[in-house]
Amino acid sequence: SQSSETGSSGINAEYGALYLKRKDFLVGKFEAEANQLLNKARFIVEKIEGKVKVENVKGRDLLAALKKRGYDSDPMKKWQAAHDKLMNTNPEEVPEEGGDSQHESSDGEEVNEMSQPGDPNYDYLVDMAIRSLTLERKDALQKKRDEKLAELEILKKTPVSELWL
């Protein structure tokens, strides 16, 4: 009979495919998290060293400077959008690459000078609190990044058969 042919091997193949999807999901997520931490730490270093100036600079000029210096558009949002697209999530729910960068100015008016649709999303950098732009915060981010990269390497080396959902 056909049911005896599929038996446990059919179930194992089905679970194997799920575990492989789960591993790919986690690898992508860990890579995006590590990349975001790398960019944040670099931003702090370059801010401290005066290579990146955020004070008294037009938003569009700051965006252009970050792009020119090779900063990545928000790695987590980019990964999430790619994952959602892969999983056939409703495209209306997937944030656009440029994201929503409207902010309120100190007098309550909305300001959207930073980006236009399709621009890279650097909110994860420019929205960091001033107190996070310290040497200690940079060191903590670099430590966290190193830990995430170590987790990623372990995950990549882990056989799919040893993963669980």
Side-chain angles (χ1 to χ4, degrees):
S1 80
Q2 188 176 9
S3 62
S4 64
E5 288 177 40
T6 55
S8 64
S9 66
I11 292 172
N12 288 340
E14 188 177 321
Y15 283 120
L18 286 174
Y19 289 140
L20 185 58
K21 280 185 179 181
R22 179 70 176 157
K23 181 176 181 177
D24 290 345
F25 170 86
L26 290 172
V27 166
K29 182 178 180 189
F30 285 10
E31 286 175 339
E33 289 172 346
N35 201 17
Q36 190 177 64
L37 291 165
L38 174 80
N39 279 274
K40 283 183 172 185
R42 184 175 143 224
F43 179 77
I44 292 170
V45 169
E46 291 189 349
K47 169 74 180 88
I48 291 168
E49 293 175 349
K51 293 178 181 174
V52 173
K53 186 178 179 199
V54 285
E55 300 87 358
N56 205 24
V57 175
K58 287 186 177 183
R60 297 287 303 162
D61 293 341
L62 176 59
L63 187 98
L66 294 173
K67 189 173 185 174
K68 184 178 179 182
R69 295 199 63 78
Y71 283 93
D72 296 310
S73 184
D74 190 332
M76 287 303 295
K77 286 189 178 188
K78 194 173 185 177
W79 168 79
Q80 187 66 55
H83 173 70
D84 290 348
K85 187 176 181 181
L86 183 68
M87 302 309 290
N88 295 321
T89 304
N90 183 350
E92 294 173 5
E93 296 173 7
V94 177
E96 292 183 21
E97 179 73 13
D100 180 15
S101 62
Q102 287 189 353
H103 300 284
E104 288 191 10
S105 65
S106 57
D107 59 5
E109 293 181 23
E110 280 193 357
V111 178
N112 190 8
E113 63 189 29
M114 287 288 290
S115 64
Q116 300 299 319
D119 281 347
N121 184 327
Y122 297 119
D123 290 349
Y124 75 105
L125 296 174
V126 298
D127 287 350
M128 287 195 294
I130 289 174
R131 70 174 165 231
S132 70
L133 303 178
T134 63
L135 194 57
E136 294 85 1
R137 176 73 173 143
K138 183 257 319 174
D139 291 343
L141 284 169
Q142 288 177 328
K143 182 179 181 206
K144 201 171 175 183
R145 176 209 57 207
D146 293 344
E147 290 168 356
K148 188 57 66 177
L149 288 172
E151 284 181 61
L152 176 61
E153 284 309 306
I154 291 168
L155 178 63
K156 284 181 174 181
K157 292 176 183 175
T158 303
V160 174
S161 61
E162 293 181 20
L163 292 177
W164 60 91
L165 294 175

